[in-house]
């Protein structure tokens, strides 16, 4: 877009702004809220954000298929979603958030092919193929996922977590509506959405439909009228698993659940929809086609935000090649879970972040340094020094610019190192910044173990010597050393994972 058009767009944003001109902002955050900008996959550019309803943001985040443990690539999606939510809240917006659990009907390929992932999970766990077992399997992995979110300090207060199997009637209702409006047709394996009836099909991410349609012609075996058509309702196979419906026993196609649950909980139109970049070509274009055809309203979602893939040791995460890491493994290796969060925030969400064990070490060191800095500011002499307002403005400006977390972290570190700023100001600013970053700075400084590398050399040596004494069961020597550590201003407590050392 040319500079002039961008200028016009900003004038338009001003005109519809309920708070009036920028100069009349009542608070600092109101002023910045109007500068909140996100890269919108729908338009292919960064745009000023505004919501349908004043001060309320309706947000739907595509959630996991709960047939197994979620690796850190999947979890990185929800750290991104959390930063998005916290940023919206930092701008005084109230967020109505939905994260769905797919516990039925997700085939291993998005294009209606392959094995059903839930069925695959049942078979793997040696469970009989029944709807009850499927629900139990879904609940087990949904609970493990929720525990991981909490470990990563992801805010789920007030978030709705609907399960697809609880929304079968709403999905049947939406498919029926699409059928009545002429957007669907029946084939041998189920009911399909007719993408030729939706003229804007493929607009999200500018999908090369001609390429897909021509490429697929050769192998077109199916009952689909076009290769981009997709299943709305899949009839039961040999296993007979499913729910009764007007089209016969079966289960909903994967895409319809998001459209139906989003509509049921948030209404016909929402402000933000998120997912991974792999959702753009099929899943999200299908959601748009279904929702807008069913409701007759456009757009389904005003903003579409997509996260790039996390890479592990420079390669694609893939269970099949063993290139996978789970959060439990990170914790077992002695890292605090929030060091992973720190590592993820070090890259912008639209660039493919890279996970390495070396990177985890560096992230842990930085995280503990931040905790220590906060602790120092907290106990410092508070008289004198300048205000941190310049850094506060920079932080919000960075985070409001399409969630620039690396830029925001850079502002944090510059402030921490800036000796002109008063300690009390730095402490308060860090608390405020952490409401977005979610690194647990105040809690970390109070209760987490201080990293060995950020400890005075002499204390580190005492701790190592005490560990050696304990290993040889020389308890009196270990006690002597504990007294010395204590005298140096540190407390040591023993745990299963080794000594936990805190500053007194
Ligand atoms: Zn979805």
């Amino acid at each position: 877009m040319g500079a002039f058009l961008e200028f016009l767009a900003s004038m338009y944003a001003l005109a519809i702004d309920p708070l009036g001109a920028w100069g009349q902002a009542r608070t600092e955050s109101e002023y910045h809220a109007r500068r909140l900008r996100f890269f919108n996959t729908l338009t292919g550019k960064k745009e000023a954000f505004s919501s349908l309803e004043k001060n309320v943001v309706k947000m739907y985040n595509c959630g996991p298929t709960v047939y197994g443990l979620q690796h850190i690539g999947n979890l990185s999606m929800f750290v991104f979603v959390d930063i998005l939510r916290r940023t919206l809240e930092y701008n005084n917006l109230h967020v109505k958030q939905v994260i769905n659990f797919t516990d039925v009907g997700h085939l291993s390929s998005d294009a209606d092919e392959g094995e059903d992932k839930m069925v695959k999970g049942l078979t793997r766990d040696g469970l009989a193929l029944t709807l009850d077992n499927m629900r139990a399997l879904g609940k087990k992995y949904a609970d493990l996922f929720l525990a991981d979110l909490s470990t990563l300090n992801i805010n789920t207060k007030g978030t709705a977590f609907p399960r697809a199997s609880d929304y079968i009637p709403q999905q049947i209702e939406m498919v029926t509506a699409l059928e009545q409006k002429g957007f669907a047709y029946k084939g041998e394996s189920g009911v399909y959405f007719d993408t030729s009836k939706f003229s804007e099909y493929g607009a999200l991410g500018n999908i090369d439909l001609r390429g897909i349609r021509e490429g697929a012609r050769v192998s077109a075996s199916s009952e689909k009228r076009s290769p981009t058509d997709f299943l709305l309702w899949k009839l039961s196979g040999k296993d007979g698993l499913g729910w009764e419906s007007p089209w016969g026993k079966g289960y909903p196609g994967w895409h319809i659940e998001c459209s139906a649950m989003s509509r049921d909980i948030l209404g016909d139109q929402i402000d933000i929809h998120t997912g991974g970049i792999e959702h753009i070509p099929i899943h999200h274009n299908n959601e748009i086609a279904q929702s807008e055809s069913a409701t007759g309203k456009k757009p389904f979602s005003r903003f579409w935000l997509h996260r790039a893939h996390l890479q592990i040791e420079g390669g694609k995460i893939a269970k099949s090649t063993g290139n996978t890491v789970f959060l439990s493994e990170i914790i077992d290796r002695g890292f605090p879970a929030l060091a992973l969060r720190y590592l993820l925030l070090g890259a912008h969400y639209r660039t493919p972040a890279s996970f390495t064990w070396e990177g985890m070490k560096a992230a842990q060191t930085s995280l503990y340094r931040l905790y220590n800095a906060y602790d120092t500011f907290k106990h410092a002499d508070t008289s004198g020094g300048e205000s941190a307002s310049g850094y506060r403005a920079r932080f919000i400006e960075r985070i409001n610019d399409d969630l620039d977390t690396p830029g925001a972290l850079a502002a944090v570190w510059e402030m921490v190192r800036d000796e002109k700023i008063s300690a009390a100001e730095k402490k308060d600013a860090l608390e405020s910044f952490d409401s977005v970053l979610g690194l647990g700075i105040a809690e970390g400084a109070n209760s987490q173990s201080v990293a060995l590398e950020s400890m005075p050399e002499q204390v580190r040596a005492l701790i190592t010597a005490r560990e050696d004494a304990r290993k040889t069961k020389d308890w009196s020597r270990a006690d002597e050393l504990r007294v010395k550590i204590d005298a140096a201003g540190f407390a040591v407590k023993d745990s299963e994972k080794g000594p936990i050392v805190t500053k007194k």
Side-chain angles (χ1 to χ4, degrees), residues 230-384:
F230 54 91
L231 271 172
L232 294 166
W233 186 265
K234 181 158 169 53
L235 293 169
S236 299
K238 284 188 287 271
D239 54 36
L241 211 58
W243 288 265
E244 296 300 338
S245 83
W247 315 281
K249 200 172 180 187
Y251 50 88
W254 173 42
H255 316 291
I256 195 78
E257 71 171 85
C258 290
S259 288
M261 295 195 283
S262 179
R263 187 182 194 185
D264 195 76
I265 303 168
L266 298 172
D268 287 352
Q269 293 183 295
I270 63 172
D271 299 299
I272 303 178
H273 197 119
T274 70
I277 48 169
E278 74 280 9
H279 290 146
I280 302 171
I282 300 175
H283 183 52
H284 284 168
N285 271 295
N286 291 357
E287 281 191 40
I288 291 172
Q290 297 162 158
S291 290
E292 295 184 3
S293 302
T295 62
K297 287 181 191 162
K298 298 174 188 179
F300 165 38
S301 178
R302 294 150 63 84
F303 277 77
W304 289 82
L305 272 64
H306 292 99
R307 192 191 193 288
H309 289 149
L310 178 69
Q311 301 206 309
I312 294 189
E313 304 283 353
K316 193 174 176 254
I317 300 187
K319 274 189 201 162
S320 52
T321 59
N323 201 26
T324 310
V325 175
F326 296 95
L327 188 57
S328 54
E329 199 179 341
I330 288 174
I331 293 165
D332 286 347
R333 288 207 193 188
F335 289 103
L338 294 180
L340 174 65
R341 191 174 165 107
Y342 189 97
L343 179 136
L344 292 170
L345 300 188
H348 189 265
Y349 77 89
R350 287 197 292 118
T351 61
S354 189
F355 174 92
T356 61
W357 291 107
E358 274 308 304
M360 276 302 292
K361 277 188 209 158
Q364 174 180 294
T365 304
S366 300
L367 184 69
Y368 282 147
R369 281 199 184 130
L370 205 51
Y371 290 171
N372 285 334
Y374 175 85
D375 196 54
T376 311
F377 301 147
K378 197 172 154 189
H379 296 107
D381 171 18
T382 53
S383 60

Side-chain angles (χ1 to χ4, degrees), residues 12 17 49 99 106 116 133 207 224 228 282 313-315 352-353 397 448 465 476:
Y12 179 69
D17 187 335
F49 177 76
I99 299 176
H106 188 175
D116 182 304
N133 282 348
I207 303 308
K224 290 184 186 180
T228 50
I282 300 175
E313 304 283 353
E397 190 246 329
Q448 296 231 17
S476 62

